[in-house]
Amino acid sequence: RIKLLTASLETNSNFVVILDDNKLIWWVNASFERVTGFTLEEVAGKEISALFSDSNDPNLLAQAEACLLENREWRGEVLSKRKDGSEGIDGVSVTAVFDEVREVTYYLVVGRDITEKMKMSEALRVAREAQIKAEKMLSIGIMASGISHEINQPLNAIRVLSGGMHYLLTHGEGMSTAELTANIQEIVEQTDRIADIIKLLRSFVRRDALQLKPCALNGAVELALSLVGKQLADHGVTVQKQLQDK
C-alpha cells in the first residue's frame, strides 16, 4: 500500500512537497523537480518559504502561515523561484496531516505551474481593454461633428458677447454695470459648458476606474442627445423622449 501511495505521488502531474512537523521540506516528487529545477537534495531541510519570491504580497504569506498555525487548509497563488533564476506562478494548497491522536505529523503541499495560464489571462485582459478603447474612439469619431456643433455654440456666444463689449469700449460707448455683469456671467456659463463637454470626453476615453455616484438621468439623456442629435437628424431619425419629472 505504501509503495502504491508513493508511486501515485511520484507520478502525479501536480508537484507535491511534504513538510515535516517543523514545516521543513522532507520530500518532493519528480514533478516538483521538473517545474522548479531543484532536486530533493538541494531543498531538503529548508523552509518552503525559501522557494518563494520576494515579490509576493507579505499579507498573502501571513494568511498562509495563520492557516497552518490553526491546522486549516490554505489555497492560493504564489510567485515561486526557479533554479534558472526565473520566477513562476504556482497555484498551491497546503493541508495538515494528522496521526491517530490528532497531532500534526506532516504538511502536504500540492500545486501546479499556472504561469502560462496567468500570462494568457493577462494578455486577454489587455486585448479586451484595447478593444473597448478602440470602440470608444470609434464612437467619438462618429460623434465628432455633434460635439463640434455643441462646442461651437458656446464659443460663438462668447465671441459675440466679448466682441460686443470690445466694440463698445473701444468706441467710447459705455455699458451699465448691470449689462457688463450680465455679459460676463453669460461668458462664464458658456465657458463652464465647454469645460463640461471636455470633462465628459475625458471620462469617456480614460482607463481610470470609474466611481459610482448618483446621476441625474434626465440631464445625462439630454446631454447624450445634444451630442448625437445632429447625426440622428441627418439620418432622418426622430427621438421621442418621455422623461420623468424631477
Side-chain angles (χ1 to χ4, degrees):
R1 184 179 179 183
I2 293 177
K3 289 182 177 179
L4 288 174
L5 291 174
T6 302
S8 175
L9 291 175
E10 189 64 54
T11 59
N12 198 309
S13 60
N14 293 326
F15 66 76
V16 178
V17 181
I18 297 179
L19 311 178
D20 62 21
D21 55 352
N22 292 317
K23 303 184 183 69
L24 302 179
I25 297 176
W26 179 72
W27 182 85
V28 300
N29 69 347
S31 291
F32 174 86
E33 297 183 2
R34 175 178 53 80
V35 170
T36 68
F38 294 108
T39 64
L40 174 60
E41 291 74 18
E42 291 173 316
V43 298
K46 295 183 179 180
E47 295 184 356
I48 194 169
S49 59
L51 301 176
F52 294 159
S53 167
D54 296 334
S55 302
N56 280 297
D57 183 354
N59 293 328
L60 179 70
L61 300 182
Q63 291 173 8
E65 182 65 25
C67 287
L68 294 183
L69 290 175
E70 299 174 3
N71 296 327
R72 293 186 290 111
E73 181 183 23
W74 180 83
R75 293 176 180 270
E77 298 171 354
V78 296
L79 288 171
S80 302
K81 299 176 182 177
R82 305 297 192 235
K83 188 174 180 178
D84 62 5
S86 63
E87 293 184 351
I89 305 174
D90 298 328
V92 301
S93 66
V94 185
T95 308
V97 179
F98 302 92
D99 60 14
E100 294 80 0
V101 293
R102 295 293 297 173
E103 292 290 335
V104 176
T105 55
Y106 299 99
Y107 293 93
L108 182 64
V109 182
V110 180
R112 59 191 180 94
D113 185 355
I114 59 172
T115 305
E116 292 304 317
K117 177 183 176 182
M118 298 300 291
K119 286 181 178 179
M120 289 180 61
S121 297
E122 177 64 14
L124 288 173
R125 184 190 65 80
V126 172
R128 283 196 296 267
E129 287 188 357
Q131 180 182 3
I132 292 172
K133 186 174 182 179
E135 290 174 350
K136 285 184 176 181
M137 295 305 296
L138 177 61
S139 298
I140 289 179
I142 295 174
M143 294 189 302
S145 61
I147 294 171
S148 175
H149 175 73
E150 188 67 17
I151 291 179
N152 280 333
Q153 283 186 331
L155 281 177
N156 288 333
I158 292 173
R159 186 180 297 109
V160 170
L161 291 170
S162 58
M165 289 189 295
H166 179 265
Y167 177 85
L168 292 175
L169 291 174
T170 55
H171 287 74
E173 300 183 22
M175 293 183 66
S176 67
T177 303
E179 289 177 325
L180 185 60
T181 302
N183 285 350
I184 293 175
Q185 180 62 36
E186 181 64 22
I187 290 175
V188 171
E189 291 177 358
Q190 296 300 329
T191 304
D192 290 342
R193 183 179 174 185
I194 296 174
D196 288 341
I197 295 172
I198 295 174
K199 182 179 179 181
L200 176 64
L201 291 176
R202 285 178 175 172
S203 66
F204 191 70
V205 297
R206 69 186 178 190
R207 296 178 60 184
D208 301 340
L210 298 179
Q211 296 181 350
L212 297 179
K213 62 180 180 180
C215 173
L217 189 56
N218 286 7
V221 172
E222 294 288 359
L223 181 57
L225 290 176
S226 69
L227 294 177
V228 299
K230 186 175 185 300
Q231 287 76 19
L232 295 176
D234 291 343
H235 289 81
V237 178
T238 301
V239 178
Q240 294 182 348
K241 296 180 298 182
Q242 286 185 321
L243 302 178
Q244 185 177 4
D245 294 336
K246 296 180 181 180

